[in-house]
Amino acid sequence: MLSHDQIWSAIDALAQRYGFTPSGLARRAGLDATTFNRSKRVGSDGRERWPSTESIAKILAATGASLDEFMSVVMRRGSAPARTIPLIGFAQAGSGGFFDDGGFPAGTGWDEVAFPGVADEKAYALEIAGDSMLPLYRDGDTIIVSPTAAVRRGDRVVVKTIEGEVLAKQLKRETAKTVELASLNPEHPDRVLALSDIAFMARVIWASQ
């Protein structure tokens, strides 16, 4: 008999296999972005909520996976689960309370995404929204950010200003007083920020596209 945890874990694993977060997969399948959120998997009364057969069919259509592939993922979930890391929407990351003074994940409100092979215990995931970072990052893509990794010229980085603006750029040049950032989207201008205006800068170590 299949369990509630097996089915939901398989949806998470299939999303990861095809380069989506659960909410990104839901959008690609034409569903509400919150359909597969962890908070939706148990009702307010504590009763387990199961995904509908229609939702699963839309997942298969969106990814191109077969029912046999989905079931093989379901049946393999008896093994140790992949490590999960904190996940937050890119726009939401600009709000207060999600990072400490060093740029590490903090507070509540984070979701989680399964992601194996990340050595940095402080790594976290950001889900891209909108088209401002095209062509490199699309709506629904996930980027993995390492706040402990060394940042060098040419690296793709996430920068948060002290005013709460969050940027995904390429590090062009860093001096004793300023940081020059090249835009990933040619339709958006490059930026030059004073070091005193930057709350933190962290390197992007992986992207789902």
Side-chain angles (χ1 to χ4, degrees):
M1 182 176 178
L2 298 178
S3 70
H4 176 267
D5 182 63
Q6 275 181 301
I7 295 295
W8 281 115
S9 293
I11 289 175
D12 289 341
L14 200 67
Q16 181 186 348
R17 177 177 293 185
Y18 285 91
F20 297 102
T21 62
S23 56
L25 178 59
R27 281 198 295 268
R28 182 59 63 92
L31 303 168
D32 184 274
T34 65
T35 301
F36 302 141
N37 283 8
R38 291 181 182 276
S39 60
K40 294 293 185 72
R41 302 179 187 187
V42 178
S44 57
D45 57 359
R47 295 176 61 183
E48 295 177 339
R49 288 178 174 171
W50 293 67
S52 68
T53 52
E54 180 183 11
S55 294
I56 293 174
K58 288 184 175 181
I59 289 172
L60 300 182
T63 59
S66 66
L67 181 60
D68 285 345
E69 180 181 354
F70 179 74
M71 290 308 300
S72 71
V73 176
V74 170
M75 300 313 294
R76 283 203 300 265
R77 299 311 292 174
S79 58
R83 180 194 160 197
T84 60
I85 61 176
L87 166 71
I88 197 171
F90 195 88
Q92 191 181 9
S95 305
F98 291 106
F99 299 95
D100 63 19
D101 292 340
F104 299 107
T108 59
W110 293 81
D111 204 340
E112 291 183 338
V113 61
F115 196 88
V118 178
D120 185 356
E121 292 294 326
K122 298 295 185 180
Y124 56 90
L126 295 176
E127 184 177 7
I128 303 301
D131 59 3
S132 65
M133 299 172 203
L134 289 172
L136 291 178
Y137 302 142
R138 302 162 298 173
D139 183 60
D141 280 346
T142 303
I143 58 176
I144 306 299
V145 180
S146 173
T148 63
V151 177
R152 300 176 296 272
R153 179 182 294 188
D155 285 342
R156 295 172 188 174
V157 295
V158 169
V159 176
K160 183 176 180 181
T161 70
I162 59 174
E163 294 184 351
E165 184 180 13
V166 180
L167 308 167
K169 303 283 187 181
Q170 185 175 43
L171 179 60
K172 188 174 181 180
R173 185 168 178 258
E174 183 175 1
T175 71
K177 294 184 177 181
T178 62
V179 170
E180 298 179 21
L181 302 169
S183 179
L184 302 178
N185 186 332
E187 295 183 1
H188 290 255
D190 293 348
R191 298 283 295 273
V192 178
L193 299 175
L195 278 176
S196 58
D197 292 334
I198 295 176
F200 65 80
M201 178 168 60
R203 181 154 64 96
V204 177
I205 59 174
W206 185 87
S208 63
Q209 81 272 24

